[in-house]
Amino acid sequence: MTPSGNRLLFDTPPLLHSAKADRLDVLGDLISGLDAVTTRAVVDEVGSKHAEARAAVLNASWISVVNTDSLELLKAFGAWSERLGATHGYNVGETTLCAYAEVNGGTLVLDDLAARRVAERHGLAVRGTVGLIADACRRGRRTVTNASVLVDDLPATGMRLPFPRGGFESWAREKRLLG
């Protein structure tokens, strides 16, 4: 699935791991021309895992932190909280993003497989971080070789990938993500 519309809604992992790899600017460049947003809950999750990454996200000019306290969003949050099991701080970032997407549209950038499945089952557009990088290659924003270097930097930050180091291109071609 390719991004729906021009708005991308970023969850914690792509922001956290890109910032930890000192590649947050590269992530922003990959999506140049698209509207990128996240929520305060996601920023707080990033900060709970890595304070410097939180500061980097807040200072990144390419992404905005959206307001999620309207009545309409709070109602949607309640429904998504049940769907995703957001309890005691768990899944709150994903829940705010799903509520925002339901109300305002856009493509969720989620890597958590369970959350992705729930979001898709309820009609939301979803893309994973590596799929987003493959999309950038297809649009000519990055070469596959350049994207592979970026992707190979991410596991050192703790990010799990669906392929081994050096496997981005073959994985993306197998999934028919490169065109």
Side-chain angles (χ1 to χ4, degrees):
M1 175 182 296
T2 58
S4 171
N6 288 327
R7 179 179 292 140
L8 296 173
L9 311 167
F10 280 86
D11 190 27
T12 301
L15 298 174
L16 173 66
H17 295 292
S18 296
K20 286 176 71 176
D22 197 24
R23 298 290 188 264
L24 196 59
D25 59 330
V26 176
L27 182 62
D29 185 52
L30 290 174
I31 61 157
S32 180
L34 301 174
D35 182 28
V37 301
T38 195
T39 64
R40 178 63 58 191
V42 169
V43 172
D44 290 346
E45 285 180 4
V46 168
S48 73
K49 297 172 184 345
H50 197 274
E52 291 174 14
R54 179 184 191 278
V57 169
L58 288 173
N59 289 323
S61 62
W62 60 269
I63 191 163
S64 301
V65 179
V66 294
N67 185 358
T68 57
D69 63 358
S70 73
L71 185 56
E72 188 177 20
L73 279 167
L74 291 173
K75 286 180 184 178
F77 180 86
W80 281 100
S81 183
E82 288 182 28
R83 293 171 186 155
L84 292 171
T87 57
H88 307 293
Y90 187 71
N91 289 342
V92 175
E94 294 159 341
T95 302
T96 61
L97 287 172
C98 288
Y100 188 88
E102 181 177 291
V103 172
N104 297 295
T107 299
L108 297 159
V109 183
L110 294 174
D111 290 327
D112 180 271
L113 187 57
R116 287 174 64 141
R117 287 182 177 155
V118 171
E120 288 173 333
R121 186 174 34 234
H122 290 278
L124 299 181
V126 180
R127 197 70 172 145
T129 302
V130 181
L132 193 69
I133 293 169
D135 293 342
C137 293
R138 198 177 57 253
R139 289 190 335 268
R141 297 292 308 167
R142 282 286 181 269
T143 65
V144 173
T145 301
N146 186 270
S148 294
V149 172
L150 168 63
V151 171
D152 283 347
D153 286 344
L154 298 175
T157 69
M159 187 174 201
R160 293 185 311 246
L161 298 174
F163 47 80
R165 182 173 178 80
F168 169 73
E169 182 174 5
S170 60
W171 175 87
R173 290 200 188 288
E174 177 184 314
K175 299 289 182 183
R176 295 187 165 97
L177 299 176
L178 298 175

